[in-house]
Amino acid sequence: MSFCKDCVSGTVQLGEPQGKIEEINGVTTYIATPTVDYPKDKAVIVLTDVFGLPLTNNKLLADSFAANGFYTVVPDIFNGDSVPLSVLEGAEFKREEWAPNHGPAQTRPTIDKVISGLKDKGVKEFGATGYCFGARYVFDLAFENIIKVSVVSHPSMLEAPKDLQEYFDKSTAPLLINSCTHDDPFPFEKQEIADKIFGDGKFKPGYKREHFEGAKHGFAARGDRNDPKQKADMDGAFKNAVDWFLNYL
């Protein structure tokens, strides 16, 4: 599991989350419910960066999706062991000790439990949006067509062309990628490969890559909203995701 400095940096947002923490099938999950009528058979799953549920930003993102009419859940994909928020303030992060406990064998079963629990509640169609670490699992769910719609922002842990080609070959989920200029895990070379595989109408379910010039890895989840450019990029990536879900979910 590779990390770049931008994977564990960024800004904590101010705001009071409006949702609630509950257990879904034994998994601690943040749930944001629209205040207006919404389709009870659909849900958006937010698969987070390495800071997980403790990071207010991730809960506020879910609230924003709910404000746009989507029942939204944020499972604790780190099983109570997300990267400490103190790392954002400069504390030491021993990634070599943390990472072995957060591979697919530990993470995917947690996601599957939440999806199973939501199905038991009557949810039939899922959209998933993944940021950094979480984007890897959006792809894995799409490979199996468990989700109907995919959004990833500055994804980590994707091999190119391998994972991109597998998505093309196996998935029927329309794919939106929010990419940026300064992104070690998903650099311009991988972005070009994605466009070559999916672009020009080749991926029939639907494909779009939006590029945020000058932005860096993590911008869509941990940008500084006091900086006009970063705020505009965060809002732009979010709007892209909402529009994608409105169109395809």
Side-chain angles (χ1 to χ4, degrees), residues 98-111:
W98 183 87
N101 297 317
H102 299 285
Q106 297 85 6
T107 306
R108 180 61 190 273
T110 298
I111 298 170

Side-chain angles (χ1 to χ4, degrees), residues 8 12 51 54-55 82-93:
V8 289
V12 178
F51 296 103
L55 182 64
S82 55
V83 172
L85 296 183
S86 59
V87 173
L88 287 171
E89 300 171 355
E92 182 182 7
F93 172 47

Side-chain angles (χ1 to χ4, degrees), residues 8-242:
V8 289
S9 64
T11 303
V12 178
Q13 310 300 325
L14 299 176
E16 186 66 33
Q18 301 300 304
K20 55 186 178 180
I21 298 286
E22 294 185 356
E23 283 202 355
I24 297 179
N25 205 11
V27 177
T28 301
T29 305
Y30 180 79
I31 300 174
T33 304
T35 57
V36 298
D37 191 36
Y38 64 94
K40 307 302 189 293
D41 61 344
K42 297 181 180 182
V44 166
I45 304 171
V46 177
L47 300 176
T48 68
D49 59 19
V50 293
F51 296 103
L53 282 184
L55 182 64
T56 301
N57 308 26
N58 292 324
K59 295 189 279 287
L60 294 177
L61 276 168
D63 288 351
S64 296
F65 281 114
N68 282 272
F70 299 105
Y71 177 78
T72 306
V73 300
V74 190
D76 176 17
I77 59 176
F78 303 106
N79 304 306
D81 185 39
S82 55
V83 172
L85 296 183
S86 59
V87 173
L88 287 171
E89 300 171 355
E92 182 182 7
F93 172 47
K94 296 182 179 180
R95 62 191 69 186
E96 68 281 357
E97 296 179 6
W98 183 87
N101 297 317
H102 299 285
Q106 297 85 6
T107 306
R108 180 61 190 273
T110 298
I111 298 170
D112 289 341
K113 285 180 182 179
V114 170
I115 291 173
S116 177
L118 290 171
K119 286 181 177 179
D120 289 343
K121 296 176 183 290
V123 178
K124 298 177 181 178
E125 296 182 337
F126 298 90
T129 179
Y131 300 84
C132 308
F133 180 99
R136 164 74 261 177
Y137 295 93
V138 173
F139 264 61
D140 289 341
L141 293 171
F143 291 165
E144 299 173 41
N145 288 302
I146 292 171
I147 54 176
K148 185 180 178 182
V149 191
S150 302
V151 178
V152 295
S153 298
H154 37 78
S156 297
M157 301 184 293
L158 294 182
E159 295 183 38
K162 178 181 178 294
D163 290 318
L164 299 167
Q165 188 63 53
E166 185 171 356
Y167 193 112
F168 182 92
D169 291 340
K170 293 182 176 180
S171 184
T172 59
L175 173 64
L176 167 67
I177 300 175
N178 285 314
S179 67
C180 58
T181 304
H182 307 290
D183 192 346
D184 288 347
F186 198 68
F188 182 66
E189 293 76 15
K190 289 185 179 180
Q191 296 170 28
E192 279 194 317
I193 292 171
D195 290 345
K196 184 176 180 180
I197 291 173
F198 294 101
D200 297 323
K202 289 192 288 290
F203 188 59
K204 299 306 180 184
Y207 169 72
K208 189 175 186 180
R209 181 173 69 85
E210 293 281 9
H211 186 75
F212 291 82
E213 187 64 31
K216 64 182 181 180
H217 182 83
F219 80 92
R222 301 185 304 279
D224 182 355
R225 296 190 67 80
N226 291 317
D227 180 298
K229 172 68 164 62
Q230 293 188 48
K231 180 180 184 298
D233 288 345
M234 287 189 74
D235 291 346
F238 175 75
K239 183 179 185 302
N240 291 343
V242 167

